[in-house]
Amino acid sequence: MKGYRSIVVLVAALLSASVAVGLQPGAGSATVSASQTVVSIQGTRFLIDGRLTSPGKPAEGQLLNTRMAQAIFDDDNPATVGDWAYPDTHQWDPQRNTNEFLAMLPTYAQHGIRMITVGLQGGCPAHTPPALTCPGGDHPWTVSAFNADGSLKPAWMTRLDQVIRAADHNGIVVMVQFFYHGQESKVADQFTAVNKITDWLVSGGYRNVLVETANECNAGFSSYLDCSNEANVVKQVQDRSGGTLEVTVSFTGGGMPSDDVIGQEDLVLLHGNGQTTQQLSDLINGLKGKAAYQANPKPVVVNEDSVSLDNMNASVAAGVSWGYLDTGVNDYLNGYQSPPVNWTINTDAKRAFFDNALRLAGPNSVATAITYSGATSGDDHDPAAMSARLQDLQGSAVPDVPIDFALGGQTCTGVTNAAGVAACAISPSLAAGTYPLIASFAGTSLLQPSRTTASFAVTREEAALAYSGDTSVALGGTAHLAASLREDGQSAIAGRAIGFTLGAGASAQTCTAATDASGNASCAISGVNQPFGPGEVRATFAGDTVYQPASTSAASMIFAYLPAGVFVIGEKPASGTSVTFWSSQWAGLNRLGGGSAPAGFKGFAAWASLPACGAGWMTRPGNSEAPPAPLPPYMAVIVASNVSKTGSVVSGDTAAIVIVKTDSGYAPDPGHPGTGIVAGVICP
């Protein structure tokens, strides 16, 4: 949750910000709309929409608040406006400042913040000594929603309207601070200014607004805004608004409001700046002991203090609303009062305050909703991308929290990003079918659990067969058939039956074997009885609940060995080449790599053993050993690289064995040559 509370949201894409888009009221009046956050006072406690604030929490009836004086800040002095430039753009942008503030309002509200203070003349914006410090008198910068004649600046009013409306949408009260010392002197007609802004607030129909006429009236204001006249200024706003605005004024840290102010104002403001916890407690008790207060008890609000949680806790325990003041420095990182301001909860001090506000005033939990956006189907064993978006009850993204995904007993967990989207992958190990996929968020102290269910279709995984067995098979011999079964052509698939078929039709011969741990299957067909010549050998996997069917085939060649002996040719020819394996001119028709063959060799070796690559053979020359007749249409023939004669014995090597499709015209005597075309290779 720490990451969630500190997430940097730099765009006005959240719902509160979208409410503000397009609202451009004039300086004379605001656009009236129905308010959904109505603040009221009942004795010494606050109500919103007729109900006590933060019910059941330590801060019940209080407005835990934070001073966000610069939420609508701008500087009209071109000589100083560059002091507030953003580090990324090197320019100051007042609307960006407001938009980034608006984007955080839902998060503030979720932590129990029920009020913010916004200044029409800001607050001291300079806290990076020595270059940026607030002087004791007039400030060099021009930070004011008022023109010198007391009229209102339209751009400031537009931003104020955006803030009030977005706060209204999030259940937050806005204390509008009219004047700030060091800036009030830039307004010559302060009386008119008070009337103008009062009329603007009334015409806007805002019901979530409180008014602070001046911040720390004893800090050196003009006679009109000085504390000695503030009871009259407070009454001016009350009367001008027809009693629709609750009005107050503040004194410096540790300062006690005067009796006339206490008697006139609708709520009492205290400042705890520079006060220890004991001093703040004494100030609160002193106020409550004053006769002016006891004559008309009303809510007490510390709307400016420090980052002290001890002061915060003591104030809440005393039944007094408390306000966080984090001045920071002008670095777009620390604090909330030194432009450019980073409005996120991004520092330890901010996190500590908002965590404590959640404890004291926040909701017990906030509803959340998950929307599934990932894959809805996938192959068994293949990674499927799971993703879902988590949002809170305002529709705002919830980042940095885990979302769990479950599919048929398999799970994965993803952490939401800045857009509230979490992603991970599950590789289903399930039979083909449709299963419920559950995305769930376990909840936190702030956020309620939520879950959603989608349907996920597990499809059968692709399987691939590769044949690796015999393709040249001798008639009457044994065919050793083999294949491998792989998932997506890679991982071995074990324990599946593979059917092998040699040939086709009525003469087809078959065998079956199961794949081993390596995905390999093999079996043998004995007594091969297939038509001579080209054919096909096929391997087939029928498929199951996990894998799709698969099959593969290879070209086969059925041939025969002679019943006795073997013919010989020279130098291994390419497939399709015409060869002469029997002739009275054999030696001249067959080239040998190891020299010429003896003239008496006609091409037939009367050798008792079956030929084998790498083995030698021998025979007698001439016609002493007659070859058989007739010949098979496809027969095995030795390829020799050398043929020699020793005495009456001719011998040679077996460099290769090929299959020759025999031609007609052959006879066992050398005058009837034996010819054919190479149709295949047996070895090597």
Side-chain angles (χ1 to χ4, degrees):
M1 278 308 299
K2 182 175 180 180
Y4 166 56
R5 290 192 291 269
S6 64
I7 186 68
V8 178
V9 181
L10 297 180
V11 293
L14 300 177
L15 186 54
S16 63
S18 66
V19 170
V21 175
L23 297 174
Q24 301 292 332
S29 64
T31 304
V32 177
S33 63
S35 179
Q36 61 187 48
T37 300
V38 179
V39 62
S40 59
I41 293 173
Q42 184 182 76
T44 61
R45 300 195 291 180
F46 290 101
L47 294 81
I48 289 181
D49 301 332
R51 297 184 294 274
L52 287 173
T53 62
S54 305
K57 303 302 289 272
E60 182 179 86
Q62 300 175 27
L63 294 176
L64 282 198
N65 63 96
T66 176
R67 180 173 172 80
M68 305 302 201
Q70 316 295 20
I72 59 174
F73 175 91
D74 196 11
D75 184 359
D76 290 336
N77 185 349
T80 58
V81 68
D83 293 340
W84 329 118
Y86 285 96
D88 54 348
T89 64
H90 308 292
Q91 293 182 335
W92 168 246
D93 184 344
Q95 192 58 54
R96 171 181 172 177
N97 173 63
T98 298
N99 286 347
E100 291 181 5
F101 173 74
L102 296 175
M104 287 304 299
L105 281 175
T107 300
Y108 300 159
Q110 289 168 5
H111 286 78
I113 298 304
R114 291 295 170 261
M115 187 175 78
I116 55 173
T117 297
V118 176
L120 297 183
Q121 293 191 323
C124 173
H127 291 90
T128 308
L132 293 176
T133 54
C134 285
D138 291 347
H139 298 164
W141 38 85
T142 303
V143 178
S144 181
F146 305 106
N147 293 306
D149 62 359
S151 61
L152 306 176
K153 296 178 181 178
W156 278 76
M157 293 301 100
T158 293
R159 295 192 296 275
L160 178 59
D161 180 76
Q162 291 172 343
V163 168
I164 294 174
R165 290 180 188 279
D168 174 67
H169 180 79
N170 285 282
I172 294 176
V173 175
V174 180
M175 178 167 283
V176 180
Q177 172 190 293
F178 287 1
F179 293 99
Y180 189 81
H181 63 84
Q183 292 293 323
E184 90 287 349
S185 61
K186 303 180 190 298
V187 183
D189 192 344
Q190 297 167 355
F191 181 88
T192 296
V194 169
N195 285 342
K196 291 287 187 182
I197 185 60
T198 300
D199 291 346
W200 187 91
L201 291 171
V202 171
S203 66
Y206 308 117
R207 305 294 303 280
N208 62 321
V209 169
L210 302 175
V211 171
E212 179 185 5
T213 58
N215 178 77
E216 300 182 347
C217 60
N218 56 336
F221 279 95
S222 63
S223 57
Y224 171 72
L225 294 173
D226 184 75
C227 296
S228 60
N229 190 54
E230 271 300 330
N232 294 324
V233 179
V234 169
K235 186 175 186 303
Q236 178 184 347
V237 177
Q238 292 169 331
D239 292 346
R240 185 82 178 186
S241 70
T244 61
L245 293 176
E246 310 285 0
V247 192
T248 184
V249 65
S250 66
F251 291 67
T252 54
M256 179 68 72
S258 58
D259 289 350
D260 62 333
V261 168
I262 294 173
Q264 185 64 49
E265 60 190 352
D266 298 295
L267 61 148
V268 181
L269 295 186
L270 297 177
H271 281 185
N273 313 60
Q275 305 299 295
T276 65
T277 303
Q278 185 59 54
Q279 289 171 328
L280 179 60
S281 297
D282 291 344
L283 179 65
I284 293 170
N285 292 332
L287 169 69
K288 292 181 176 181
K290 290 176 68 72
Y293 180 82
Q294 293 179 355
N296 184 15
K298 58 196 66 178
V300 180
V301 177
V302 177
N303 76 324
E304 182 178 320
D305 192 324
S306 61
V307 299
S308 170
L309 299 189
D310 289 339
N311 284 15
M312 181 182 186
N313 293 334
S315 181
V316 170
V320 171
S321 307
W322 189 84
Y324 179 74
L325 169 61
D326 188 351
T327 57
V329 291
N330 307 85
D331 60 355
Y332 197 55
L333 177 68
N334 295 282
Y336 287 135
Q337 194 166 297
S338 302
V341 176
N342 186 321
W343 296 108
T344 63
I345 305 173
N346 63 315
T347 66
D348 290 343
K350 294 176 184 179
R351 281 188 287 268
F353 164 67
F354 281 99
D355 284 350
N356 204 39
L358 175 63
R359 180 182 67 85
L360 295 173
N364 292 326
S365 61
V366 173
T368 63
I370 294 179
T371 303
Y372 183 73
S373 56
T376 56
S377 65
D379 289 350
D380 187 83
H381 294 165
D382 280 355
M386 309 288 163
S387 64
R389 183 179 187 270
L390 182 67
Q391 63 184 37
D392 59 25
L393 77 170
Q394 277 92 12
S396 304
V398 179
D400 292 337
V401 295
I403 293 181
D404 298 317
F405 298 87
L407 177 65
Q410 295 177 265
T411 62
C412 71
T413 300
V415 177
T416 55
N417 60 18
V421 176
C424 59
I426 291 178
S427 297
S429 295
L430 300 165
T434 300
Y435 299 86
L437 188 156
I438 300 171
S440 60
F441 168 55
T444 66
S445 60
L446 172 63
L447 301 169
Q448 293 179 13
S450 58
R451 60 182 281 166
T452 188
T453 302
S455 293
F456 189 93
V458 177
T459 53
R460 291 190 291 177
E461 178 61 83
E462 293 180 357
L465 269 173
Y467 183 75
S468 57
D470 293 344
T471 55
S472 297
V473 184
L475 188 70
T478 299
H480 300 280
L481 310 182
S484 60
L485 184 63
R486 297 284 186 269
E487 180 179 307
D488 291 329
Q490 297 180 9
S491 303
I493 302 175
R496 265 65 177 188
I498 307 299
F500 295 91
T501 302
L502 181 62
S507 65
Q509 295 174 278
T510 63
C511 66
T512 302
T515 55
D516 60 18
S518 299
N520 299 322
S522 61
C523 60
I525 297 176
S526 300
V528 170
N529 184 17
Q530 295 294 313
F532 280 109
E536 182 182 72
V537 58
R538 175 171 292 275
T540 302
F541 168 54
D544 54 24
T545 59
V546 176
Y547 294 102
Q548 298 179 27
S551 64
T552 187
S553 63
S556 64
M557 181 68 69
I558 305 299
F559 68 97
Y561 291 104
L562 295 179
V566 63
F567 286 105
V568 180
I569 59 175
E571 286 193 348
K572 184 177 179 182
S575 183
T577 302
S578 295
V579 294
T580 299
F581 53 84
W582 170 251
S583 173
S584 59
Q585 304 300 316
W586 189 96
L589 296 173
N590 287 272
R591 298 176 58 187
L592 302 173
S596 300
F601 183 65
K602 304 301 186 293
F604 179 70
W607 184 246
S609 300
L610 287 177
C613 280
W617 52 269
M618 64 178 59
T619 187
R620 294 178 61 82
N623 295 322
S624 57
E625 298 289 347
L631 299 179
Y634 289 84
M635 69 176 180
V637 174
I638 285 177
V639 178
S641 61
N642 66 80
V643 178
S644 60
K645 180 180 180 183
T646 304
S648 61
V649 177
V650 176
S651 61
D653 64 344
T654 305
I657 302 174
V658 297
I659 300 170
V660 174
K661 178 182 180 184
T662 57
D663 296 332
S664 60
Y666 161 82
D669 66 274
H672 292 81
T675 61
I677 297 175
V678 176
V681 178
I682 299 174
C683 65

